PDB file of all heavy atoms in Angstrom:
ATOM      1  N   LYS A 115       8.951 -19.738  20.313  1.00  0.00           N
ATOM      2  CA  LYS A 115       8.972 -19.821  21.829  1.00  0.00           C
ATOM      3  C   LYS A 115       7.490 -19.585  22.360  1.00  0.00           C
ATOM      4  O   LYS A 115       7.364 -19.414  23.499  1.00  0.00           O
ATOM      5  CB  LYS A 115       9.946 -18.787  22.397  1.00  0.00           C
ATOM      6  CG  LYS A 115      11.410 -18.953  21.917  1.00  0.00           C
ATOM      7  CD  LYS A 115      12.386 -18.075  22.697  1.00  0.00           C
ATOM      8  CE  LYS A 115      13.731 -18.363  22.306  1.00  0.00           C
ATOM      9  NZ  LYS A 115      14.757 -17.610  23.113  1.00  0.00           N
ATOM     10  N   LEU A 116       6.550 -19.786  21.499  1.00  0.00           N
ATOM     11  CA  LEU A 116       5.048 -19.478  21.929  1.00  0.00           C
ATOM     12  C   LEU A 116       4.690 -20.226  23.031  1.00  0.00           C
ATOM     13  O   LEU A 116       3.910 -19.844  23.936  1.00  0.00           O
ATOM     14  CB  LEU A 116       4.210 -19.618  20.697  1.00  0.00           C
ATOM     15  CG  LEU A 116       2.807 -19.036  20.855  1.00  0.00           C
ATOM     16  CD1 LEU A 116       3.003 -17.460  21.188  1.00  0.00           C
ATOM     17  CD2 LEU A 116       2.032 -19.082  19.569  1.00  0.00           C
ATOM     18  N   ASP A 117       5.159 -21.533  23.170  1.00  0.00           N
ATOM     19  CA  ASP A 117       4.702 -22.404  24.347  1.00  0.00           C
ATOM     20  C   ASP A 117       5.028 -21.878  25.609  1.00  0.00           C
ATOM     21  O   ASP A 117       4.466 -22.237  26.695  1.00  0.00           O
ATOM     22  CB  ASP A 117       5.297 -23.788  24.057  1.00  0.00           C
ATOM     23  CG  ASP A 117       4.539 -24.518  22.963  1.00  0.00           C
ATOM     24  OD1 ASP A 117       3.445 -24.152  22.449  1.00  0.00           O
ATOM     25  OD2 ASP A 117       5.098 -25.531  22.398  1.00  0.00           O
ATOM     26  N   SER A 118       6.111 -21.008  25.618  1.00  0.00           N
ATOM     27  CA  SER A 118       6.602 -20.570  26.914  1.00  0.00           C
ATOM     28  C   SER A 118       5.964 -19.250  27.284  1.00  0.00           C
ATOM     29  O   SER A 118       6.197 -18.757  28.424  1.00  0.00           O
ATOM     30  CB  SER A 118       8.128 -20.416  26.913  1.00  0.00           C
ATOM     31  OG  SER A 118       8.452 -19.359  25.927  1.00  0.00           O
ATOM     32  N   PHE A 119       5.013 -18.651  26.528  1.00  0.00           N
ATOM     33  CA  PHE A 119       4.465 -17.368  26.714  1.00  0.00           C
ATOM     34  C   PHE A 119       3.308 -17.656  27.721  1.00  0.00           C
ATOM     35  O   PHE A 119       2.515 -18.601  27.654  1.00  0.00           O
ATOM     36  CB  PHE A 119       3.774 -16.790  25.407  1.00  0.00           C
ATOM     37  CG  PHE A 119       4.791 -16.086  24.639  1.00  0.00           C
ATOM     38  CD1 PHE A 119       5.925 -16.594  24.059  1.00  0.00           C
ATOM     39  CD2 PHE A 119       4.576 -14.746  24.320  1.00  0.00           C
ATOM     40  CE1 PHE A 119       6.813 -15.901  23.254  1.00  0.00           C
ATOM     41  CE2 PHE A 119       5.453 -13.963  23.622  1.00  0.00           C
ATOM     42  CZ  PHE A 119       6.637 -14.655  23.025  1.00  0.00           C
ATOM     43  N   ASN A 120       3.192 -16.661  28.757  1.00  0.00           N
ATOM     44  CA  ASN A 120       1.998 -16.737  29.586  1.00  0.00           C
ATOM     45  C   ASN A 120       0.879 -15.825  28.995  1.00  0.00           C
ATOM     46  O   ASN A 120       1.185 -15.114  28.013  1.00  0.00           O
ATOM     47  CB  ASN A 120       2.323 -16.229  31.025  1.00  0.00           C
ATOM     48  CG  ASN A 120       2.931 -14.942  31.169  1.00  0.00           C
ATOM     49  OD1 ASN A 120       2.606 -14.011  30.390  1.00  0.00           O
ATOM     50  ND2 ASN A 120       3.819 -14.657  32.065  1.00  0.00           N
ATOM     51  N   SER A 121      -0.204 -15.709  29.594  1.00  0.00           N
ATOM     52  CA  SER A 121      -1.320 -14.926  29.146  1.00  0.00           C
ATOM     53  C   SER A 121      -1.001 -13.563  28.889  1.00  0.00           C
ATOM     54  O   SER A 121      -1.366 -12.921  27.872  1.00  0.00           O
ATOM     55  CB  SER A 121      -2.575 -15.155  30.031  1.00  0.00           C
ATOM     56  OG  SER A 121      -2.299 -14.715  31.331  1.00  0.00           O
ATOM     57  N   GLN A 122      -0.335 -12.896  29.824  1.00  0.00           N
ATOM     58  CA  GLN A 122       0.058 -11.471  29.754  1.00  0.00           C
ATOM     59  C   GLN A 122       0.996 -11.253  28.634  1.00  0.00           C
ATOM     60  O   GLN A 122       0.781 -10.154  27.841  1.00  0.00           O
ATOM     61  CB  GLN A 122       0.615 -10.932  31.078  1.00  0.00           C
ATOM     62  CG  GLN A 122       0.960  -9.515  30.928  1.00  0.00           C
ATOM     63  CD  GLN A 122       1.543  -8.868  32.270  1.00  0.00           C
ATOM     64  OE1 GLN A 122       1.968  -9.785  33.155  1.00  0.00           O
ATOM     65  NE2 GLN A 122       1.619  -7.621  32.557  1.00  0.00           N
ATOM     66  N   GLU A 123       2.022 -12.084  28.485  1.00  0.00           N
ATOM     67  CA  GLU A 123       2.987 -11.921  27.311  1.00  0.00           C
ATOM     68  C   GLU A 123       2.226 -11.978  26.022  1.00  0.00           C
ATOM     69  O   GLU A 123       2.539 -11.269  25.005  1.00  0.00           O
ATOM     70  CB  GLU A 123       4.059 -12.912  27.557  1.00  0.00           C
ATOM     71  CG  GLU A 123       4.910 -12.597  28.675  1.00  0.00           C
ATOM     72  CD  GLU A 123       5.768 -13.780  29.216  1.00  0.00           C
ATOM     73  OE1 GLU A 123       5.585 -14.991  28.687  1.00  0.00           O
ATOM     74  OE2 GLU A 123       6.429 -13.581  30.169  1.00  0.00           O
ATOM     75  N   ILE A 124       1.391 -12.970  25.893  1.00  0.00           N
ATOM     76  CA  ILE A 124       0.557 -13.128  24.565  1.00  0.00           C
ATOM     77  C   ILE A 124      -0.196 -11.855  24.333  1.00  0.00           C
ATOM     78  O   ILE A 124      -0.198 -11.297  23.269  1.00  0.00           O
ATOM     79  CB  ILE A 124      -0.252 -14.378  24.666  1.00  0.00           C
ATOM     80  CG1 ILE A 124       0.461 -15.570  24.629  1.00  0.00           C
ATOM     81  CG2 ILE A 124      -1.325 -14.323  23.424  1.00  0.00           C
ATOM     82  CD1 ILE A 124      -0.319 -16.872  24.740  1.00  0.00           C
ATOM     83  N   ALA A 125      -0.990 -11.365  25.320  1.00  0.00           N
ATOM     84  CA  ALA A 125      -1.830 -10.260  25.146  1.00  0.00           C
ATOM     85  C   ALA A 125      -0.963  -8.886  24.874  1.00  0.00           C
ATOM     86  O   ALA A 125      -1.301  -8.190  23.926  1.00  0.00           O
ATOM     87  CB  ALA A 125      -2.571 -10.000  26.477  1.00  0.00           C
ATOM     88  N   ASN A 126       0.109  -8.737  25.549  1.00  0.00           N
ATOM     89  CA  ASN A 126       0.972  -7.583  25.244  1.00  0.00           C
ATOM     90  C   ASN A 126       1.560  -7.659  23.812  1.00  0.00           C
ATOM     91  O   ASN A 126       1.701  -6.577  23.219  1.00  0.00           O
ATOM     92  CB  ASN A 126       2.110  -7.510  26.387  1.00  0.00           C
ATOM     93  CG  ASN A 126       1.571  -7.054  27.734  1.00  0.00           C
ATOM     94  OD1 ASN A 126       0.366  -6.658  27.823  1.00  0.00           O
ATOM     95  ND2 ASN A 126       2.418  -6.973  28.685  1.00  0.00           N
ATOM     96  N   THR A 127       1.933  -8.817  23.472  1.00  0.00           N
ATOM     97  CA  THR A 127       2.586  -8.976  22.138  1.00  0.00           C
ATOM     98  C   THR A 127       1.623  -8.594  21.039  1.00  0.00           C
ATOM     99  O   THR A 127       1.884  -7.829  20.141  1.00  0.00           O
ATOM    100  CB  THR A 127       3.078 -10.397  21.920  1.00  0.00           C
ATOM    101  OG1 THR A 127       4.092 -10.612  23.005  1.00  0.00           O
ATOM    102  CG2 THR A 127       3.731 -10.620  20.568  1.00  0.00           C
ATOM    103  N   VAL A 128       0.481  -9.285  21.000  1.00  0.00           N
ATOM    104  CA  VAL A 128      -0.452  -9.002  19.880  1.00  0.00           C
ATOM    105  C   VAL A 128      -0.987  -7.630  19.997  1.00  0.00           C
ATOM    106  O   VAL A 128      -1.255  -6.917  19.013  1.00  0.00           O
ATOM    107  CB  VAL A 128      -1.829 -10.000  19.945  1.00  0.00           C
ATOM    108  CG1 VAL A 128      -1.219 -11.376  19.676  1.00  0.00           C
ATOM    109  CG2 VAL A 128      -2.531  -9.930  21.288  1.00  0.00           C
ATOM    110  N   TRP A 129      -1.155  -7.012  21.212  1.00  0.00           N
ATOM    111  CA  TRP A 129      -1.541  -5.617  21.344  1.00  0.00           C
ATOM    112  C   TRP A 129      -0.487  -4.696  20.645  1.00  0.00           C
ATOM    113  O   TRP A 129      -0.879  -3.738  20.047  1.00  0.00           O
ATOM    114  CB  TRP A 129      -1.762  -5.244  22.822  1.00  0.00           C
ATOM    115  CG  TRP A 129      -1.983  -3.797  23.007  1.00  0.00           C
ATOM    116  CD1 TRP A 129      -3.227  -3.221  23.108  1.00  0.00           C
ATOM    117  CD2 TRP A 129      -0.959  -2.792  23.187  1.00  0.00           C
ATOM    118  NE1 TRP A 129      -3.055  -1.868  23.305  1.00  0.00           N
ATOM    119  CE2 TRP A 129      -1.755  -1.472  23.449  1.00  0.00           C
ATOM    120  CE3 TRP A 129       0.371  -2.717  23.224  1.00  0.00           C
ATOM    121  CZ2 TRP A 129      -1.157  -0.340  23.566  1.00  0.00           C
ATOM    122  CZ3 TRP A 129       1.024  -1.486  23.468  1.00  0.00           C
ATOM    123  CH2 TRP A 129       0.288  -0.306  23.582  1.00  0.00           C
TER     124      TRP A 129
END
Side-chain angles (χ1 to χ4, degrees):
K115 302 192 175 187
L116 194 55
D117 288 343
S118 66
F119 277 61
N120 63 31
S121 56
Q122 183 181 13
E123 291 159 357
I124 290 175
N126 286 354
T127 298
V128 295
W129 175 88

